Amino acid sequence: MPRADFASLPDRARLWVFAADMPVADAAPLLSAVDAHLAQWAAHGVPLVCARDWRDERFLAIAVDEAATGASGCSIDGLFRTIGRVQSQSGADFLSSGRVAWRDPHGSIHVTPRAEFELLATAGTVTAATPVFGTLAETVGAWRSSFERPAHESWASMLLQQTR
């Protein structure tokens, strides 16, 4: 079976992160549908060694160990179609781009458009120390080691600089 345990994937495994615009308390239907897709996920008929992880009721990470078999454009498109189809079951949007995921001082996670994040920075609501999530992470190693970090250490720092 090509589906693997996420913990067993190497740090170099390719990663896609999908961030929900709202918390998904009951993720079981969503994750079941994703698991079904991963169980049959293949590139040019070759099963992919893949896994998924779920974090903070918002973040779905899907990874492929491309040292075993590389994902093709068609197989990646199929993954995105599946996410698009099943996201409605959760009531959340996982596919919109141009958003920043961040944690407020009370520990709540927010996913906001970049322009709104910039306004929050101007108002002082978010700062260089505000934890942001690396939804652009490309490897399992990045997911494991630096997915959540201060804004000044992430790509979101450029949004803070624009507010000065």
Side-chain angles (χ1 to χ4, degrees), residues 51-97:
R52 62 113 177 125
D53 198 7
W54 177 247
R55 216 183 255 189
D56 297 313
E57 296 185 335
R58 284 201 191 244
F59 304 107
L60 173 63
I62 298 178
V64 172
D65 182 359
E66 291 196 306
T69 304
S72 66
C74 292
S75 65
I76 296 166
D77 289 348
L79 171 64
F80 276 76
R81 280 193 302 276
T82 296
I83 299 297
R85 187 181 81 252
V86 302
Q87 72 179 349
S88 63
Q89 296 171 355
S90 68
D93 176 4
F94 284 86
L95 295 176
S96 290
S97 61

Short mmCIF file of all heavy atoms in Angstrom, two decimals, residues 51-97:
data_model
loop_
_atom_site.label_atom_id
_atom_site.label_comp_id
_atom_site.label_asym_id
_atom_site.label_seq_id
_atom_site.Cartn_x
_atom_site.Cartn_y
_atom_site.Cartn_z
N ALA A 51 1.19 10.69 2.40
CA ALA A 51 0.58 10.73 3.73
C ALA A 51 -0.04 12.10 3.93
O ALA A 51 0.23 13.03 3.17
CB ALA A 51 1.63 10.46 4.80
N ARG A 52 -0.82 12.19 4.99
CA ARG A 52 -1.40 13.49 5.35
C ARG A 52 -1.28 13.70 6.84
O ARG A 52 -1.15 12.78 7.62
CB ARG A 52 -2.84 13.59 4.89
CG ARG A 52 -3.76 12.57 5.53
CD ARG A 52 -4.77 13.20 6.45
NE ARG A 52 -5.68 12.18 6.96
CZ ARG A 52 -5.88 11.96 8.23
NH1 ARG A 52 -5.27 12.68 9.15
NH2 ARG A 52 -6.72 11.03 8.65
N ASP A 53 -1.33 14.98 7.22
CA ASP A 53 -1.32 15.36 8.63
C ASP A 53 -2.39 16.43 8.80
O ASP A 53 -2.73 17.16 7.86
CB ASP A 53 0.06 15.89 9.03
CG ASP A 53 0.29 15.89 10.53
OD1 ASP A 53 -0.55 15.36 11.29
OD2 ASP A 53 1.34 16.42 10.96
N TRP A 54 -2.92 16.56 9.99
CA TRP A 54 -3.98 17.53 10.31
C TRP A 54 -3.57 18.23 11.59
O TRP A 54 -3.19 17.57 12.57
CB TRP A 54 -5.30 16.79 10.47
CG TRP A 54 -6.47 17.63 10.88
CD1 TRP A 54 -7.13 17.57 12.06
CD2 TRP A 54 -7.13 18.64 10.11
NE1 TRP A 54 -8.16 18.48 12.08
CE2 TRP A 54 -8.18 19.15 10.89
CE3 TRP A 54 -6.93 19.17 8.84
CZ2 TRP A 54 -9.02 20.16 10.44
CZ3 TRP A 54 -7.77 20.17 8.39
CH2 TRP A 54 -8.80 20.65 9.18
N ARG A 55 -3.62 19.56 11.59
CA ARG A 55 -3.13 20.33 12.73
C ARG A 55 -4.07 21.49 13.07
O ARG A 55 -4.55 22.18 12.17
CB ARG A 55 -1.77 20.92 12.33
CG ARG A 55 -0.76 20.99 13.43
CD ARG A 55 0.49 21.67 12.93
NE ARG A 55 1.55 20.69 12.71
CZ ARG A 55 2.79 21.00 12.44
NH1 ARG A 55 3.16 22.26 12.32
NH2 ARG A 55 3.69 20.08 12.26
N ASP A 56 -4.28 21.71 14.33
CA ASP A 56 -4.96 22.91 14.84
C ASP A 56 -6.35 23.14 14.27
O ASP A 56 -6.80 24.28 14.18
CB ASP A 56 -4.10 24.16 14.61
CG ASP A 56 -2.78 24.11 15.34
OD1 ASP A 56 -2.79 23.78 16.54
OD2 ASP A 56 -1.74 24.41 14.71
N GLU A 57 -7.05 22.09 13.88
CA GLU A 57 -8.40 22.19 13.31
C GLU A 57 -8.46 23.08 12.07
O GLU A 57 -9.52 23.54 11.67
CB GLU A 57 -9.42 22.71 14.35
CG GLU A 57 -9.63 21.79 15.53
CD GLU A 57 -10.71 22.26 16.47
OE1 GLU A 57 -11.01 23.48 16.52
OE2 GLU A 57 -11.28 21.40 17.16
N ARG A 58 -7.30 23.31 11.43
CA ARG A 58 -7.25 24.20 10.27
C ARG A 58 -6.33 23.78 9.15
O ARG A 58 -6.55 24.16 8.01
CB ARG A 58 -6.80 25.60 10.69
CG ARG A 58 -7.86 26.37 11.39
CD ARG A 58 -7.48 27.82 11.27
NE ARG A 58 -8.31 28.62 12.12
CZ ARG A 58 -9.15 29.54 11.66
NH1 ARG A 58 -9.26 29.78 10.40
NH2 ARG A 58 -9.87 30.24 12.51
N PHE A 59 -5.26 23.09 9.46
CA PHE A 59 -4.21 22.87 8.48
C PHE A 59 -4.12 21.41 8.05
O PHE A 59 -3.86 20.53 8.87
CB PHE A 59 -2.86 23.33 9.04
CG PHE A 59 -2.85 24.76 9.48
CD1 PHE A 59 -2.85 25.09 10.82
CD2 PHE A 59 -2.88 25.79 8.54
CE1 PHE A 59 -2.85 26.41 11.23
CE2 PHE A 59 -2.88 27.12 8.94
CZ PHE A 59 -2.87 27.43 10.29
N LEU A 60 -4.29 21.21 6.77
CA LEU A 60 -4.16 19.88 6.16
C LEU A 60 -2.87 19.87 5.35
O LEU A 60 -2.68 20.70 4.46
CB LEU A 60 -5.35 19.60 5.24
CG LEU A 60 -5.30 18.33 4.41
CD1 LEU A 60 -5.27 17.09 5.30
CD2 LEU A 60 -6.48 18.28 3.46
N ALA A 61 -1.98 18.96 5.70
CA ALA A 61 -0.72 18.82 4.97
C ALA A 61 -0.75 17.49 4.25
O ALA A 61 -1.08 16.46 4.84
CB ALA A 61 0.46 18.87 5.93
N ILE A 62 -0.42 17.51 2.97
CA ILE A 62 -0.34 16.29 2.18
C ILE A 62 1.06 16.23 1.59
O ILE A 62 1.56 17.22 1.04
CB ILE A 62 -1.42 16.26 1.09
CG1 ILE A 62 -2.79 16.27 1.76
CG2 ILE A 62 -1.23 15.06 0.18
CD1 ILE A 62 -3.96 16.30 0.84
N ALA A 63 1.69 15.08 1.74
CA ALA A 63 3.08 14.93 1.33
C ALA A 63 3.27 13.70 0.46
O ALA A 63 2.55 12.72 0.59
CB ALA A 63 3.98 14.83 2.56
N VAL A 64 4.28 13.79 -0.41
CA VAL A 64 4.68 12.70 -1.28
C VAL A 64 6.18 12.52 -1.16
O VAL A 64 6.93 13.49 -1.27
CB VAL A 64 4.30 12.99 -2.75
CG1 VAL A 64 4.88 11.94 -3.68
CG2 VAL A 64 2.80 13.09 -2.93
N ASP A 65 6.59 11.28 -0.96
CA ASP A 65 8.02 10.97 -0.96
C ASP A 65 8.44 10.79 -2.42
O ASP A 65 8.30 9.72 -2.98
CB ASP A 65 8.32 9.71 -0.15
CG ASP A 65 9.80 9.40 -0.09
OD1 ASP A 65 10.61 10.15 -0.69
OD2 ASP A 65 10.15 8.41 0.57
N GLU A 66 8.93 11.87 -3.01
CA GLU A 66 9.27 11.82 -4.44
C GLU A 66 10.54 11.03 -4.72
O GLU A 66 10.83 10.75 -5.87
CB GLU A 66 9.36 13.23 -5.01
CG GLU A 66 7.98 13.88 -5.07
CD GLU A 66 7.93 15.09 -5.96
OE1 GLU A 66 8.76 16.00 -5.76
OE2 GLU A 66 7.06 15.12 -6.85
N ALA A 67 11.27 10.63 -3.68
CA ALA A 67 12.40 9.73 -3.91
C ALA A 67 11.89 8.36 -4.34
O ALA A 67 12.57 7.63 -5.05
CB ALA A 67 13.25 9.62 -2.65
N ALA A 68 10.67 8.04 -3.90
CA ALA A 68 10.06 6.76 -4.28
C ALA A 68 9.38 6.90 -5.65
O ALA A 68 9.65 6.13 -6.56
CB ALA A 68 9.05 6.32 -3.22
N THR A 69 8.50 7.87 -5.79
CA THR A 69 7.79 8.13 -7.04
C THR A 69 7.38 9.59 -7.05
O THR A 69 6.78 10.07 -6.08
CB THR A 69 6.52 7.27 -7.16
OG1 THR A 69 6.86 5.90 -7.05
CG2 THR A 69 5.83 7.49 -8.49
N GLY A 70 7.68 10.31 -8.10
CA GLY A 70 7.33 11.71 -8.20
C GLY A 70 5.88 11.93 -8.60
O GLY A 70 5.33 11.19 -9.40
N ALA A 71 5.28 12.96 -8.02
CA ALA A 71 3.93 13.35 -8.39
C ALA A 71 3.98 14.05 -9.75
O ALA A 71 4.90 14.81 -10.02
CB ALA A 71 3.34 14.26 -7.34
N SER A 72 2.99 13.79 -10.58
CA SER A 72 2.91 14.45 -11.89
C SER A 72 1.92 15.60 -11.81
O SER A 72 1.15 15.71 -10.85
CB SER A 72 2.43 13.44 -12.93
OG SER A 72 1.09 13.06 -12.66
N GLY A 73 1.94 16.45 -12.82
CA GLY A 73 0.98 17.55 -12.88
C GLY A 73 -0.46 17.07 -12.80
O GLY A 73 -1.28 17.64 -12.09
N CYS A 74 -0.75 15.98 -13.51
CA CYS A 74 -2.12 15.44 -13.49
C CYS A 74 -2.49 14.91 -12.12
O CYS A 74 -3.62 15.09 -11.66
CB CYS A 74 -2.26 14.33 -14.53
SG CYS A 74 -2.16 14.93 -16.23
N SER A 75 -1.54 14.26 -11.44
CA SER A 75 -1.86 13.72 -10.11
C SER A 75 -2.06 14.85 -9.11
O SER A 75 -2.93 14.77 -8.24
CB SER A 75 -0.78 12.74 -9.64
OG SER A 75 0.46 13.39 -9.44
N ILE A 76 -1.29 15.91 -9.24
CA ILE A 76 -1.45 17.07 -8.35
C ILE A 76 -2.79 17.76 -8.62
O ILE A 76 -3.51 18.12 -7.70
CB ILE A 76 -0.27 18.04 -8.50
CG1 ILE A 76 1.02 17.36 -8.05
CG2 ILE A 76 -0.51 19.33 -7.71
CD1 ILE A 76 2.29 18.07 -8.47
N ASP A 77 -3.14 17.91 -9.89
CA ASP A 77 -4.45 18.47 -10.24
C ASP A 77 -5.57 17.65 -9.62
O ASP A 77 -6.56 18.19 -9.13
CB ASP A 77 -4.63 18.53 -11.76
CG ASP A 77 -3.77 19.60 -12.41
OD1 ASP A 77 -3.20 20.45 -11.70
OD2 ASP A 77 -3.66 19.56 -13.66
N GLY A 78 -5.42 16.32 -9.65
CA GLY A 78 -6.43 15.44 -9.06
C GLY A 78 -6.57 15.67 -7.57
O GLY A 78 -7.68 15.67 -7.03
N LEU A 79 -5.45 15.88 -6.89
CA LEU A 79 -5.49 16.18 -5.46
C LEU A 79 -6.27 17.46 -5.21
O LEU A 79 -7.15 17.51 -4.35
CB LEU A 79 -4.07 16.31 -4.91
CG LEU A 79 -3.95 16.83 -3.48
CD1 LEU A 79 -4.59 15.86 -2.49
CD2 LEU A 79 -2.50 17.10 -3.13
N PHE A 80 -5.98 18.51 -5.97
CA PHE A 80 -6.67 19.79 -5.78
C PHE A 80 -8.16 19.67 -6.10
O PHE A 80 -8.98 20.28 -5.43
CB PHE A 80 -6.00 20.89 -6.61
CG PHE A 80 -4.81 21.51 -5.91
CD1 PHE A 80 -3.59 20.85 -5.86
CD2 PHE A 80 -4.92 22.74 -5.30
CE1 PHE A 80 -2.50 21.41 -5.20
CE2 PHE A 80 -3.83 23.32 -4.64
CZ PHE A 80 -2.62 22.64 -4.59
N ARG A 81 -8.50 18.86 -7.09
CA ARG A 81 -9.92 18.64 -7.39
C ARG A 81 -10.61 17.95 -6.21
O ARG A 81 -11.74 18.29 -5.85
CB ARG A 81 -10.10 17.81 -8.67
CG ARG A 81 -9.97 18.62 -9.94
CD ARG A 81 -10.45 17.85 -11.17
NE ARG A 81 -9.73 16.58 -11.36
CZ ARG A 81 -8.55 16.46 -11.97
NH1 ARG A 81 -7.95 17.53 -12.46
NH2 ARG A 81 -7.99 15.28 -12.10
N THR A 82 -9.94 16.98 -5.63
CA THR A 82 -10.51 16.29 -4.47
C THR A 82 -10.71 17.25 -3.31
O THR A 82 -11.78 17.27 -2.69
CB THR A 82 -9.62 15.10 -4.04
OG1 THR A 82 -9.60 14.15 -5.10
CG2 THR A 82 -10.12 14.46 -2.77
N ILE A 83 -9.71 18.06 -3.00
CA ILE A 83 -9.84 19.04 -1.91
C ILE A 83 -11.00 19.99 -2.22
O ILE A 83 -11.81 20.28 -1.35
CB ILE A 83 -8.53 19.83 -1.70
CG1 ILE A 83 -7.37 18.90 -1.34
CG2 ILE A 83 -8.72 20.92 -0.65
CD1 ILE A 83 -7.52 18.16 -0.04
N GLY A 84 -11.10 20.45 -3.44
CA GLY A 84 -12.19 21.34 -3.83
C GLY A 84 -13.55 20.70 -3.66
O GLY A 84 -14.51 21.34 -3.23
N ARG A 85 -13.63 19.42 -3.99
CA ARG A 85 -14.90 18.71 -3.89
C ARG A 85 -15.30 18.47 -2.44
O ARG A 85 -16.46 18.62 -2.08
CB ARG A 85 -14.80 17.38 -4.63
CG ARG A 85 -16.13 16.64 -4.74
CD ARG A 85 -15.99 15.30 -5.46
NE ARG A 85 -15.51 14.29 -4.52
CZ ARG A 85 -14.29 13.75 -4.51
NH1 ARG A 85 -13.39 14.10 -5.39
NH2 ARG A 85 -13.94 12.86 -3.61
N VAL A 86 -14.34 18.13 -1.59
CA VAL A 86 -14.69 17.75 -0.22
C VAL A 86 -14.66 18.90 0.78
O VAL A 86 -15.16 18.76 1.88
CB VAL A 86 -13.80 16.58 0.28
CG1 VAL A 86 -13.94 15.39 -0.62
CG2 VAL A 86 -12.35 17.00 0.43
N GLN A 87 -14.10 20.03 0.39
CA GLN A 87 -14.04 21.14 1.36
C GLN A 87 -15.43 21.60 1.78
O GLN A 87 -15.62 22.04 2.91
CB GLN A 87 -13.20 22.30 0.82
CG GLN A 87 -13.82 23.09 -0.28
CD GLN A 87 -12.94 24.24 -0.75
OE1 GLN A 87 -11.94 24.59 -0.12
NE2 GLN A 87 -13.31 24.84 -1.85
N SER A 88 -16.40 21.48 0.89
CA SER A 88 -17.76 21.90 1.23
C SER A 88 -18.33 21.09 2.38
O SER A 88 -19.18 21.58 3.13
CB SER A 88 -18.67 21.83 0.00
OG SER A 88 -18.77 20.49 -0.43
N GLN A 89 -17.87 19.85 2.55
CA GLN A 89 -18.34 19.02 3.66
C GLN A 89 -17.94 19.63 5.01
O GLN A 89 -18.62 19.42 6.01
CB GLN A 89 -17.76 17.60 3.56
CG GLN A 89 -18.22 16.84 2.34
CD GLN A 89 -17.46 15.54 2.17
OE1 GLN A 89 -16.53 15.24 2.90
NE2 GLN A 89 -17.86 14.76 1.18
N SER A 90 -16.85 20.36 5.02
CA SER A 90 -16.37 20.95 6.26
C SER A 90 -16.93 22.35 6.50
O SER A 90 -16.85 22.87 7.60
CB SER A 90 -14.84 21.04 6.23
OG SER A 90 -14.43 21.99 5.26
N GLY A 91 -17.45 22.97 5.45
CA GLY A 91 -17.93 24.34 5.55
C GLY A 91 -16.83 25.37 5.47
O GLY A 91 -17.06 26.56 5.60
N ALA A 92 -15.60 24.92 5.25
CA ALA A 92 -14.45 25.82 5.21
C ALA A 92 -13.88 25.88 3.81
O ALA A 92 -14.07 24.98 3.00
CB ALA A 92 -13.38 25.33 6.19
N ASP A 93 -13.16 26.96 3.54
CA ASP A 93 -12.47 27.14 2.26
C ASP A 93 -11.00 26.83 2.46
O ASP A 93 -10.32 27.48 3.25
CB ASP A 93 -12.66 28.58 1.79
CG ASP A 93 -11.91 28.91 0.51
OD1 ASP A 93 -11.28 28.01 -0.08
OD2 ASP A 93 -11.95 30.08 0.11
N PHE A 94 -10.51 25.82 1.75
CA PHE A 94 -9.12 25.42 1.84
C PHE A 94 -8.28 25.90 0.66
O PHE A 94 -7.06 25.77 0.69
CB PHE A 94 -9.00 23.89 1.90
CG PHE A 94 -9.35 23.29 3.23
CD1 PHE A 94 -10.66 22.99 3.54
CD2 PHE A 94 -8.37 23.04 4.16
CE1 PHE A 94 -10.98 22.42 4.77
CE2 PHE A 94 -8.68 22.48 5.39
CZ PHE A 94 -10.00 22.17 5.70
N LEU A 95 -8.91 26.39 -0.40
CA LEU A 95 -8.18 26.62 -1.64
C LEU A 95 -7.93 28.07 -2.01
O LEU A 95 -7.17 28.32 -2.94
CB LEU A 95 -8.89 25.90 -2.79
CG LEU A 95 -8.91 24.38 -2.70
CD1 LEU A 95 -9.73 23.79 -3.84
CD2 LEU A 95 -7.50 23.82 -2.69
N SER A 96 -8.54 29.00 -1.33
CA SER A 96 -8.30 30.41 -1.69
C SER A 96 -6.86 30.77 -1.40
O SER A 96 -6.27 30.34 -0.40
CB SER A 96 -9.23 31.34 -0.92
OG SER A 96 -10.55 31.18 -1.37
N SER A 97 -6.30 31.58 -2.25
CA SER A 97 -4.90 31.99 -2.08
C SER A 97 -4.85 33.42 -1.56
O SER A 97 -5.87 34.07 -1.39
CB SER A 97 -4.15 31.86 -3.40
OG SER A 97 -4.74 32.69 -4.36
#
